[in-house]
Amino acid sequence: MKHLIISLFLLGFAACGHVNFDPPEGFIELRKTDTVLRLVASDASAIRVTYRENKKNGSTQFWAELFRRELTEFKGYTLVKEEPFHEKAGVVFDLTAPYNNDVFHYTVAVLTNEDDVYVVELGSEKAAYEKHRKAFMDLVTKIYKDEIK
Amino acid sequence: MKRALWVLTLLWLALGCAARKSEMAPGAPAREYERNQYYGRMAAESSASSDDYRPAPTTVATGGGSEKKMEFDEERVEAEHMTPADKAPGQHAQEPPRDPAQPDPPGPKPDTPVKPSIARMIIYAARLVINVLEPEKSLEEALAVMQKMGGFLAQRNNLYVELRIPSALFFDYVREVEKLGIVVHRTIASEDVTEQFADLALRLGNLQVMRTRLLALLELARTVEDRLAIERELTRVNGEIDAISGRMRMLRNLVDFATVQLQFTPRHEGGPVTPQKLATPVWWVKGFDVTQLFNGQR
């Protein structure tokens, strides 16, 4: 009985994390904390899911503007495309990023609701990007369905 | 007959004087020329602009200009104490380098030169952090400009360099390197060490007088105890003279060559990393970066 209670408690505690998502095809779970999940592919592409508690009035528009400013004006990434995700639920930025004298694709999705902010990133070489973008969007859709909606 | 002889003698004397006068005449213009040249130099010295103004060398003031020479000698002695030797050409030590970006200060215009009554000794220093696309290349360019201006490298550590630039070209150099990229941090400082230097010069003079007196006393000392006491004092005075001389040399060096610290930081193409923009107010948003994503940080 005692063992059962402890097991249930531990199970419940483990489930408390905000980033309990299965890795999409081609990725493995490399590291996970309560708020950050890091996944990598064999071609060194990487996905990272970050959870943050949303603040009062923290609309998708607010976070989208903040991220756009940070990524383009401060980090210097080139914005290739910006599209909304499920209307006001989120926004997806397609960026190109200089890294080690080459250009990498960097995609950032920001999903929000009243309580949560999820940021999902995909970094990949040009050649592997298209292949992983689908897996990335599947993960974003899953987060939207499970946590945001 | 006697009267005729007297008249002839007088006539001969009169003719002789006239002939002598005519013989001396060609030398007069030469002397006049020398005099004019001298006055011309005097006039040039007195009307020279402050840029060109420098204590007249003693070889210029000669002959009848002894009073002027003394005046200049006094000024030169003062200048030698106050100004660093071997100033860069075209810039007198009495004039600190003027920031060309600054508007002309109110006061007399260049056509009404004012000679400063005392030479100022100012130490200049600058620290710049410059955001550039190619740090190595920019650093090499900064070093090339430094060499062109007669400076030297004091220290180098990756993309950080510490340079010494002739004070006269300090602001020119800063302006040149600022063109290499986006200046994200700039500190320019100056320290006026005129009083400090004057105090040291005074103390040095007093100590030298004291040393001369001690040496004279040493000659007069008769007992061994007296000699030992005087020699101890001489050693102390010599030590102080050395220390002050060293300090003065160091100050002169710092005044002659301004210190410029340069740090180059890499910037990505298209990414201005604009220092004018306010930073992102939410701290965790700043952590989103492809470098961190690949490196597995956070």
Side-chain angles (χ1 to χ4, degrees):
Chain A
M1 186 62 186
K2 190 180 171 186
H3 288 279
L4 183 68
I5 291 168
I6 291 170
S7 301
L8 282 172
F9 178 77
L10 288 173
L11 195 68
F13 185 76
C16 277
H18 295 280
V19 287
N20 299 309
F21 306 110
D22 291 330
E25 198 183 333
F27 285 84
I28 60 156
E29 183 182 302
L30 195 70
R31 192 165 66 91
K32 190 166 87 170
T33 66
D34 279 356
T35 56
V36 177
L37 171 68
R38 183 170 149 75
L39 312 166
V40 289
S42 55
D43 57 16
S45 299
I47 288 178
R48 185 168 55 186
V49 183
T50 306
Y51 164 80
R52 295 286 165 187
E53 193 181 313
N54 202 353
K55 304 289 178 188
K56 201 172 178 181
N57 267 355
S59 63
T60 302
Q61 191 191 351
F62 172 87
W63 291 110
E65 200 172 322
L66 201 66
F67 269 88
R68 189 188 311 113
R69 188 172 183 273
E70 175 66 25
L71 294 169
T72 59
E73 293 181 25
F74 282 87
K75 298 277 166 48
Y77 300 141
T78 307
L79 184 63
V80 179
K81 193 169 70 179
E82 177 184 336
E83 56 185 3
F85 184 80
H86 279 269
E87 294 187 1
K88 291 183 179 177
V91 62
V92 180
F93 299 105
D94 277 321
L95 307 142
T96 52
Y99 185 76
N100 283 354
N101 297 322
D102 202 350
V103 174
F104 280 71
H105 278 269
Y106 184 42
T107 302
V108 180
V110 184
L111 306 173
T112 66
N113 62 17
E114 277 187 6
D115 303 318
D116 311 319
V117 178
Y118 279 92
V119 185
V120 192
E121 303 159 87
L122 165 67
S124 177
E125 285 177 3
K126 206 185 286 182
Y129 176 72
E130 284 304 324
K131 186 175 78 180
H132 293 310
R133 185 174 159 89
K134 191 181 174 305
F136 169 80
M137 286 311 293
D138 287 347
L139 180 62
V140 171
T141 306
K142 183 173 171 50
I143 293 169
Y144 168 72
K145 282 180 180 167
D146 294 354
E147 307 292 338
I148 302 293
K149 203 171 177 182
Chain B
M1 185 64 186
K2 250 184 186 178
R3 190 176 289 173
L5 275 172
W6 274 110
V7 171
L8 276 172
T9 310
L10 284 171
L11 270 172
W12 180 76
L13 279 171
L15 283 170
C17 283
R20 193 169 176 183
K21 263 187 183 176
S22 64
E23 276 173 21
M24 294 294 286
R31 277 202 302 279
E32 189 68 22
Y33 174 76
E34 280 175 11
R35 200 178 295 124
N36 286 342
Q37 284 287 96
Y38 173 67
Y39 287 139
R41 281 198 296 269
M42 295 267 284
E45 283 160 16
S46 61
S47 65
S49 71
S50 57
D51 277 350
D52 299 322
Y53 173 72
R54 54 184 70 235
T58 45
T59 50
V60 171
T62 54
S66 58
E67 281 180 17
K68 185 173 177 61
K69 181 187 172 200
M70 281 181 69
E71 284 169 18
F72 273 120
D73 278 350
E74 281 172 13
E75 203 170 343
R76 190 166 65 89
V77 168
E78 185 183 288
E80 276 177 358
H81 282 300
M82 298 301 185
T83 61
D86 302 324
K87 274 276 155 192
Q91 179 74 34
H92 191 260
Q94 288 175 322
E95 269 211 340
R98 198 171 68 81
D99 186 355
Q102 296 297 320
D104 285 339
K109 299 288 174 203
D111 55 341
T112 56
V114 175
K115 294 172 191 172
S117 60
I118 188 166
R120 308 306 302 177
M121 294 191 70
I122 298 171
I123 297 171
Y124 285 97
R127 182 170 181 272
L128 299 169
V129 180
I130 305 173
N131 212 270
V132 292
L133 286 171
E134 295 168 287
E136 288 286 346
K137 195 178 162 191
S138 300
L139 197 144
E140 292 304 324
E141 281 179 38
L143 291 177
V145 178
M146 172 207 75
Q147 277 192 330
K148 198 174 148 192
M149 291 190 172
F152 62 91
L153 179 68
Q155 194 186 338
R156 179 173 179 170
N157 184 9
N158 293 332
L159 298 175
Y160 167 84
V161 282
E162 189 177 307
L163 313 171
R164 304 295 305 281
I165 305 294
S167 293
L169 301 170
F170 171 69
F171 283 109
D172 290 340
Y173 184 77
V174 169
R175 203 175 51 214
E176 282 297 314
V177 291
E178 280 181 354
K179 289 177 190 168
L180 296 174
I182 297 167
V183 180
V184 290
H185 178 85
R186 179 197 290 111
T187 308
I188 293 178
S190 70
E191 188 189 355
D192 190 341
V193 292
T194 314
E195 265 187 55
Q196 196 182 341
F197 196 84
D199 285 347
L200 288 172
L202 199 67
R203 281 177 58 196
L204 184 66
N206 289 340
L207 285 166
Q208 280 166 343
V209 169
M210 190 187 276
R211 183 170 61 180
T212 312
R213 283 181 188 159
L214 285 170
L215 286 170
L217 282 173
L218 194 63
E219 294 291 317
L220 297 172
R222 290 180 181 175
T223 63
V224 174
E225 286 81 13
D226 286 350
R227 289 187 73 87
L228 282 174
I230 293 167
E231 277 176 1
R232 263 200 303 276
E233 191 60 12
L234 258 175
T235 309
R236 187 188 67 79
V237 168
N238 281 334
E240 276 193 46
I241 286 174
D242 288 346
I244 289 174
S245 303
R247 174 86 183 139
M248 286 172 78
R249 266 199 306 277
M250 193 197 74
L251 281 178
R252 268 207 198 95
N253 179 269
L254 287 172
V255 170
D256 282 353
F257 287 89
T259 306
V260 179
Q261 294 175 315
L262 294 176
Q263 173 79 55
F264 289 99
T265 54
R267 176 170 69 99
H268 297 306
E269 187 80 60
V273 192
T274 46
Q276 294 85 0
K277 293 257 179 202
L278 290 172
T280 301
V282 183
W283 66 269
W284 57 266
V285 174
K286 295 176 193 172
F288 289 93
D289 188 72
V290 76
T291 317
Q292 291 192 6
L293 177 65
F294 286 131
N295 291 343
Q297 293 173 20
R298 202 161 57 80

